[in-house]
Amino acid sequence: MMNGKRIVKWVFAFACTIMAGCGFALAGEGYGLYKNAVQEVSLEEKVNEIRSQESFTSLEDMPETYVQAVVSVEDHRFYDHFGLDLIAIGRAVVNDIKAGRYVEGGSTITQQLAKNLYFSQEKTMNRKAAEVFLALELEQKYTKDEILELYVNSIYFGDGYYSVGEASEGYFGKPASEMNDYECTLLAGVPNAPSKYAPSKNLALAEKRQQKVLSRMEACGYITEEETTIMAAQLVALN
């Protein structure tokens, strides 16, 4: 059972999100899209599909460097928010207004998982609203570690690889649990744009993205400036 404060927190966050990113008129459309999706195939079924995959890798079997790298570069407030990052949403709204079109969504790892489970990559506001509803359900039913685990086991890494396990085997010839720091930080940057950052497509560009991953890890406090320099040198040596 959720306590009163948590309910208020969710309601406030949802209201802010809908007003900032979707608008009241689209909330109903988004809710309908969300309800239709989970009625057709339940969330539990979708989660079980991911967990039953041969390539599924549990979070405890993933190298700590990989987990830290993913959180740093994808959603550094992941363990602090409740599925929606209001700071990121506010920034996205400002950027969308400046651009005069929908260019940024401020999506969290939870929202990205929601999208991967049910929705297309099409950037429409009603789909974004549906994603919000599903993200809240995910946060209610699963722990943060479970959500992160499901996320890295369902995202696209290029070359037909749809999980960290498949990507590690495909790119490095080893299970994800055996990835070294170079492989962890390289792979963490790929899902942002697999067509550009897949190691098989352009290794130099993938390694440029890898440097961004290291910078984010430092900014998030996972590694120090000195450790960043040392790790960067080690990555060059490993490659």
Side-chain angles (χ1 to χ4, degrees), residues 3-171:
N3 60 37
K5 289 184 179 180
R6 185 167 177 80
I7 293 174
V8 171
K9 187 177 183 181
W10 275 32
V11 171
F12 174 77
F14 175 71
C16 290
T17 302
I18 294 299
M19 286 188 289
C22 302
F24 288 112
L26 290 172
E29 293 179 19
Y31 183 75
L33 183 61
Y34 150 73
K35 290 300 292 184
N36 288 338
V38 295
Q39 285 173 359
E40 184 174 341
V41 182
S42 72
L43 180 56
E44 289 74 18
E45 287 179 85
K46 287 284 189 178
V47 168
N48 287 336
E49 284 178 14
I50 295 173
R51 289 173 169 169
S52 64
Q53 293 174 355
E54 185 177 349
S55 63
F56 184 82
T57 307
S58 67
L59 197 66
E60 64 182 17
D61 286 336
M62 295 177 203
E64 185 177 24
T65 297
Y66 177 71
V67 174
Q68 293 174 346
V70 170
V71 172
S72 297
V73 80
E74 293 291 342
D75 182 5
H76 68 281
R77 284 185 286 269
F78 174 68
Y79 282 101
D80 297 321
H81 63 59
F82 45 90
L84 312 175
D85 187 340
L86 300 184
I87 296 174
I89 290 170
R91 182 191 64 242
V93 169
V94 171
N95 291 336
D96 289 347
I97 292 173
K98 288 180 178 178
R101 59 190 176 90
Y102 184 78
V103 295
E104 184 177 343
S107 293
T108 63
I109 283 175
T110 312
Q111 287 174 273
Q112 291 180 61
L113 174 60
K115 178 176 62 179
N116 292 342
L117 288 173
Y118 284 98
F119 307 117
S120 70
Q121 301 298 312
E122 184 183 6
K123 293 182 178 181
T124 61
M125 298 307 291
N126 61 342
R127 195 275 296 161
K128 192 69 179 179
E131 180 186 294
V132 167
F133 284 106
L134 186 57
L136 293 176
E137 182 176 348
L138 280 164
E139 290 278 341
Q140 182 182 18
K141 292 183 175 180
Y142 300 95
T143 67
K144 286 290 189 180
D145 283 351
E146 287 175 324
I147 290 170
L148 181 57
E149 182 179 78
L150 291 167
Y151 171 70
V152 297
N153 278 283
S154 63
I155 50 177
Y156 187 52
F157 290 86
D159 283 14
Y161 305 134
Y162 283 88
S163 70
V164 62
E166 289 182 353
S168 182
E169 288 285 358
Y171 292 130

Side-chain angles (χ1 to χ4, degrees), residues 74 156-158 188-199 201 205-206 209:
E74 293 291 342
Y156 187 52
F157 290 86
V190 172
N192 179 259
S195 62
K196 290 170 43 179
Y197 299 132
K201 297 291 189 296
L205 198 58
R209 171 67 176 168

